Amino acid sequence: MTNSKILIVDDEKDILDLLEYNFEKEGFQVLRATDGRIAVDIAQREQPELVVMDIMMPIMDGVSACHEMRSLPELEKTAIVFLTARSEEYSEVAGFEAGADDYIHKPIRPKILMSRVRALLRRQDTQANNTIKVHDLEIVRDEYIVKRGKDLIALPRKEFELLYYMASRPGKVFRREDLLSEIWENVHVTDRTVDVHIRKLRGKIGPRYIVTVKGVGYKFLSES
């Protein structure tokens, strides 16, 4: 999910600076625009995974820009989040009718924003690649099913989500804190929770898939 390309759109420089700082700190590649017209042009050219956009802007407002983005086939899978200081119900309705995926009010709370963004990007990953086949395992996201040949492996939800997340990025080393952030989000749990779930997974799918990287965390092997 890190290195995803995000376009931030707002006519206030302070807001752009705040968003850029927080997204870059989380490892995202950030593009900037100050109005809807520029945003549409950049989005069409760069095809970001996510657009975070204010509604009230000069030249072209966010709703109009969203309508135009949704008409472009190359942006079909791009998630769009609206930021606005306005709280009227009609503006939220207009945003969703234009094709927005989420709606966040200013003032911006970075932790909440990042949580919502990660959730949206995870949903995109799931829609784009619902079934993962790696080694002799088949992991079906929509059905929460793990298969090895004709055998089904039953997993509780968090164990399944942990397996799916790691298997979708074979070879990548995950720190425990990264896994806590991605799988457990805002729930207060400790590093020990990750270790316990990894141990249970190994007991059910076998020990050879997930290896411990001493002093760092875990990785799902890219080859048997």
Side-chain angles (χ1 to χ4, degrees), residues 191-207:
D191 289 357
R192 179 65 177 160
T193 302
V194 175
D195 297 335
V196 170
H197 279 71
I198 292 290
R199 187 178 71 246
K200 289 181 177 179
L201 270 177
R202 285 171 170 162
K204 294 171 182 176
I205 67 173

Side-chain angles (χ1 to χ4, degrees), residues 6-10 31-33 35-45 47-54 57 60-82 98-101:
I6 291 182
L7 171 61
I8 55 176
V9 191
D10 202 295
L31 307 166
R32 294 171 58 137
D35 67 65
R37 180 70 268 158
I38 296 173
V40 172
D41 293 341
I42 293 175
Q44 188 171 16
R45 182 175 69 248
Q47 298 180 27
E49 284 79 8
L50 177 72
V51 176
V52 179
M53 181 162 52
D54 190 27
M57 293 183 295
M60 178 184 282
D61 63 36
V63 173
S64 299
C66 184
H67 270 297
E68 190 161 336
M69 289 179 189
R70 286 295 181 233
S71 72
L72 299 171
E74 58 266 42
L75 300 179
E76 180 182 358
K77 296 180 180 179
T78 297
I80 298 176
V81 176
F82 276 133
D101 296 280

Side-chain angles (χ1 to χ4, degrees), residues 102 104 107-118 186:
D102 205 348
I104 299 174
I108 297 166
R109 289 178 286 178
K111 287 185 178 180
I112 292 177
L113 174 63
M114 292 302 158
S115 177
R116 302 271 279 273
V117 163
R118 284 194 294 264
N186 295 322

Side-chain angles (χ1 to χ4, degrees), residues 72-97:
L72 299 171
E74 58 266 42
L75 300 179
E76 180 182 358
K77 296 180 180 179
T78 297
I80 298 176
V81 176
F82 276 133
L83 288 174
T84 182
R86 301 177 66 182
S87 59
E88 296 92 336
E89 183 179 356
Y90 75 85
S91 62
E92 295 192 20
V93 172
F96 284 124
E97 287 182 347

Side-chain angles (χ1 to χ4, degrees), residues 166 172-176 179 194-196 198-199 202 210-213 216-220:
M166 296 183 69
K172 176 178 172 57
V173 178
F174 296 96
R175 298 177 302 166
R176 288 174 177 83
L179 294 173
V194 175
D195 297 335
V196 170
I198 292 290
R199 187 178 71 246
R202 285 171 170 162
I210 302 173
V211 300
T212 302
V213 180
V216 183
Y218 299 100
K219 71 175 178 179
F220 193 93

